[in-house]
Amino acid sequence: MAYPAIDRLSPNRDFSRPHERLGVVFHHTACDYDEALALMGDAAYQRSYHVIIREDGLRCTLVPDEAVAWHAGASSFQGRSRCNDFLLGVAFAGDTYRAPLTADQIASALEWLTLRWQPYRWALGGMTDHRTIAPGRKQDLNPAEWNRLRTAIAMHFQG
C-alpha cells in the first residue's frame, strides 16, 4: 500500500550545511498530529522533524532530507554528538506511552525508509530512538514500541 504524503515545510531548519543522512532517530510527538504540525510551523518553537507520520499512515514532510532539522537537541550516537547533523528525524504522531504505534504508522515508516535505504546506504545499526541518543533527558519512544519498530525494520530489510 502506498501511503499518502504531503509537504508542509517548517521554518525550523538549517540549510547552511548539508545533512549527512547517516541514519534515523525516531520520536513521538507526545501530542496529536494537528497540534504537532502547528508547533513545527511556528518559527518561535525552534524544533522540527524531517517527517511526521499520522496514525493512519499519512506522512507530512516538514524538512527536506538535505537540510538539518532541529529534532534531537543535546544528543550523542555512536560516539558523535550533534545528531541533528547526521540523523534524519522521523516522528510518530501521539505518545507511545499512552497508545502503541498503529500498524499503518509502522508500515508508512517502512515505506519511507525503503525509498532511502539503498541510496543512503543505511543499515539497522543506523536506526535509533530519541531515548537512546539523549538518555535521561528524553523518553521517546516507549521501549516496547521501539522494540516493535526495530524488529519490523530488521524483518523488512534483512529478511
Side-chain angles (χ1 to χ4, degrees):
M1 172 180 185
Y3 286 92
I6 61 172
D7 293 339
R8 187 187 246 174
L9 296 181
S10 171
N12 303 315
R13 62 185 191 263
D14 182 358
F15 279 106
S16 69
R17 60 190 182 281
H19 196 284
E20 295 178 54
R21 297 174 287 218
L22 299 180
V24 178
V25 58
F26 292 94
H27 305 261
H28 66 220
T29 62
C31 60
D32 70 33
Y33 176 81
D34 291 329
E35 183 180 350
L37 286 185
L39 290 169
M40 300 303 125
D42 181 355
Y45 191 63
Q46 297 188 350
R47 275 176 256 155
S48 59
Y49 307 105
H50 288 89
V51 65
I52 294 178
I53 303 175
R54 196 166 68 183
E55 290 85 352
D56 64 0
L58 172 82
R59 290 188 305 271
C60 180
T61 297
L62 299 166
V63 175
D65 292 0
E66 301 77 29
V68 172
W70 304 330
H71 59 90
S75 54
S76 177
F77 183 63
Q78 297 179 347
R80 287 188 63 186
S81 61
R82 298 180 51 100
C83 292
N84 287 339
D85 293 346
F86 63 93
L87 295 176
L88 297 178
V90 174
F92 295 103
D95 184 331
T96 57
Y97 287 92
R98 292 190 188 126
L101 296 171
T102 67
D104 285 325
Q105 283 178 311
I106 292 173
S108 183
L110 292 174
E111 186 178 276
W112 184 89
L113 288 167
T114 297
L115 298 171
R116 293 157 177 81
W117 199 266
Q118 290 298 329
Y120 296 162
R121 296 185 168 104
W122 285 345
L124 187 59
M127 306 292 115
T128 189
D129 70 341
H130 204 189
R131 181 178 43 86
T132 301
I133 66 167
R137 191 175 70 78
K138 292 297 180 177
Q139 295 300 314
D140 53 320
L141 298 174
N142 176 326
E145 292 308 297
W146 169 235
N147 287 336
R148 269 185 69 218
L149 177 62
R150 192 171 192 287
T151 298
I153 294 168
M155 297 288 285
H156 187 78
F157 292 103
Q158 298 177 336

